[in-house]
Amino acid sequence: MSDITSIEQDALAAIAAAASLDALDAVRVAELGKKGRVSGLMGTLGAMAPEERKEKGPALNALKVRIEEAVRVRKGALEAVALEAQLVRETVDLTLPAAPSAGEGALHPVMQVFEEIAAIFGDMGFRVAEGPDIEDDWHNFTALNFPEGHPAREMHDTFFLKAGDNALPKVLRTHTSPVQVRTMMSEKPPIRILIPGRVFRNDWDATHTPMFHQVEGLVIEEGIHMGHLKGCLVDFVKAFFEVDNVVARFRPHFFPFTEPSAEMDVQCLRAGGVVEVGKGTDWLEVLGCGMVHPNVLRNCGLDPAVHQGFAFGLGVDRLAMLKYGMPDLRPYFEADPQWTRHYGFSPWLTPSVSGGLS
Ligand code: PHE
């Protein structure tokens, strides 16, 4: 019995003395862990005479319960202290005037990357076009050559809104491509637009959020071919990643609204969770692209025998993660000022191709 008493005194003293959650956990493991002292004593029960076991078994169990309880209580106290300290550290005095103080207020990385992309394509003669977040089925799918009932519609994990009488349900747009359609229907070529925007798909993990950001590009002119697409996008990745020797490859792919379609990869080096473009022998997927499908041109009232074009779409959140080394997408949308301060950019330094992007 003296074992039990001395272990208990020891353990309770160590628990009371534990000054951090880590220290407390070390005590818990030393007593109750697989190789801990209490577990060790429990292991001796099997070899005891039945009489002795009858007495020691319940006593050891009770000891284990008392130590567990002490750990739980101490853990609660330490957590409360940690929270209190955090609240003091992060106190905001809401009664202070909202004076612009130096260093406060930062541009979110997604906005920074939007600005960088707009600066690069702006230099090539693209202008920005926008469209609604809530789209109808025709603009989001049908006009873009997704046949009705085609499985590609499901690939997008679409959020549907409640349908009115005799109408197809509206959708939260699953990509920025419907703005291609809106622009081709309302403007005459030549068209050179860049479409930044929010898009929505039912997905949620470290690299997918149900709302994310895309930038779409569209060029419609006479005599446009795959060479223009390639030159334009290779120039873009060099400027964006700020390296001259980017090696790019175009991998055949499928999108209903482009033919041929491709995904563009750039060569990179992956080491220790970091991706470096312009080095190494790995490949990094950057965007989807292709020549605008003749059906799409026809759906928008253009004659494919006269006008051709190319389009591309890229995920801004992902590019920001890659360029600025953020491992997880979810904090993007948590509005934590510490995160924004750490990863944010000065709102005063407008990116430009000649003056520097980042
Ligand atoms: N809209 C496509 C997507 O969201 C991307 C894309 C745009 C591909 C334009 C080709 C051309 O996946």
Side-chain angles (χ1 to χ4, degrees), residues 156 174-177 180 201 212 214-217 255 257-258 261-262 287-290 310-314:
H156 277 203
T174 57
H175 50 178
T176 39
S177 303
Q180 286 190 27
R201 294 184 200 178
F212 59 104
Q214 286 189 334
V215 167
E216 181 111 0
F255 299 106
F257 36 90
T258 46
S261 305
L287 51 81
C289 58
F310 69 82
F312 57 88
L314 49 86

Side-chain angles (χ1 to χ4, degrees), residues 18-29 78:
S20 69
L21 288 165
D22 283 347
L24 179 64
D25 203 53
V27 177
R28 184 189 60 77
V29 171
L78 286 172

Side-chain angles (χ1 to χ4, degrees), residues 135-138 159-164 166-172:
E135 263 299 0
D136 53 50
D137 182 272
W138 191 81
F159 287 112
F160 292 96
L161 303 176
K162 253 211 179 92
N166 301 323
L168 282 171
K170 295 234 178 184
V171 300
L172 293 179

